[in-house]
Amino acid sequence: MVKLELWVPQAVRDDVRAAVRAIVTDSTRGPTLAARPRRPTSQAITPGETHQMDAVIETPWTVPAIRDALDASSLTREGELSLRVIEGADPVLLATMHEYGDLPIYLSVGGAQIVCSVLLWPVAEQADAAAFNEFLLKAQRVVPLSNFAITTVGDQDVYELMGELSSKTTLQTILIELRTLAENAIEATALRETFAA
């Protein structure tokens, strides 16, 4: 073990602690895990010794596995979110983010990636959609780690905010993505108001 000190803003202290705890103790939760081969170091390594930081997920996540792991994890805060699998041709996880006004985030797994998305508002409701789309592309850095898209729901186009992850990522990273996407959805609403002004 190595002691590491970080200076972080007070507002994110609990999130950083949870992330560090997850890296050190919880990263091995989830699908089948295996230790990466280690490079030789000046220190002897005990044969069979496991190193939590070197854990990688060998088996891709499934939607039910993500739900079960998040339900059982100590990484989530009490009352932070509710999870429900929506069955269909491909199951989708609906994560209701209670700390963000019950914001619904949809998570799906396909091939090598996990896609998380938030539906924002119908394109038809956006004054001067072409100018707004250009504005979004220029403002992309305001919502880091997320992408804007337009998707069709029923018979109408809807703005969507989304993020992608490897299907072999850690549970901690999935939770960070859900939180980041929720925060960015709030920022997207602020961007809409800025454009209108």
Side-chain angles (χ1 to χ4, degrees):
M1 289 289 219
V2 175
K3 180 179 180 182
L4 181 65
E5 293 185 30
L6 298 171
W7 289 90
V8 298
Q10 180 73 23
V12 297
R13 183 186 65 188
D14 291 340
D15 286 340
V16 171
R17 281 186 179 157
V20 170
R21 190 176 314 110
I23 289 168
V24 174
T25 61
D26 290 337
S27 290
T28 58
R29 292 184 181 177
T32 306
L33 300 166
R36 272 194 324 233
R38 293 181 60 86
R39 293 182 181 160
T41 65
S42 59
Q43 296 178 338
I45 298 172
T46 306
E49 181 181 1
T50 61
H51 299 274
Q52 298 286 344
M53 295 294 290
D54 292 336
V56 294
I57 295 174
E58 296 296 333
T59 305
W61 285 102
T62 63
V63 166
I66 292 171
R67 185 221 28 227
D68 294 345
L70 284 172
D71 276 342
S73 177
S74 62
L75 296 173
T76 59
R77 296 183 288 263
E78 183 69 31
E80 178 180 9
L81 51 81
S82 298
L83 303 165
R84 180 170 64 95
V85 174
I86 301 170
E87 296 295 343
D90 293 310
V92 174
L93 181 65
L94 170 59
T96 303
M97 306 296 287
H98 300 302
E99 294 180 1
Y100 296 91
D102 292 339
L103 179 73
I105 296 180
Y106 300 92
L107 181 149
S108 60
V109 179
Q113 71 177 359
I114 296 169
V115 178
C116 300
S117 67
V118 175
L119 298 176
L120 298 172
W121 56 86
V123 173
E125 291 180 6
Q126 185 60 54
D128 196 353
F132 182 69
N133 294 346
E134 182 179 349
F135 173 77
L136 285 181
L137 290 174
K138 290 179 179 177
Q140 183 65 39
R141 289 187 180 96
V142 177
V143 286
L145 307 177
S146 298
N147 302 304
F148 286 99
I150 295 175
T151 189
T152 303
V153 178
D155 59 352
Q156 67 178 346
D157 288 341
V158 177
Y159 285 106
E160 177 180 30
L161 194 62
M162 56 196 300
E164 298 88 11
L165 302 166
S166 165
S167 62
K168 294 184 179 182
T169 194
T170 62
L171 182 65
Q172 163 221 350
T173 304
I174 294 170
L175 184 57
I176 289 171
E177 177 64 29
L178 291 172
R179 291 172 178 163
T180 300
L181 197 57
E183 290 173 11
N184 286 348
I186 303 301
E187 289 296 324
T189 302
L191 280 177
R192 185 183 191 196
E193 292 168 1
T194 300
F195 176 78

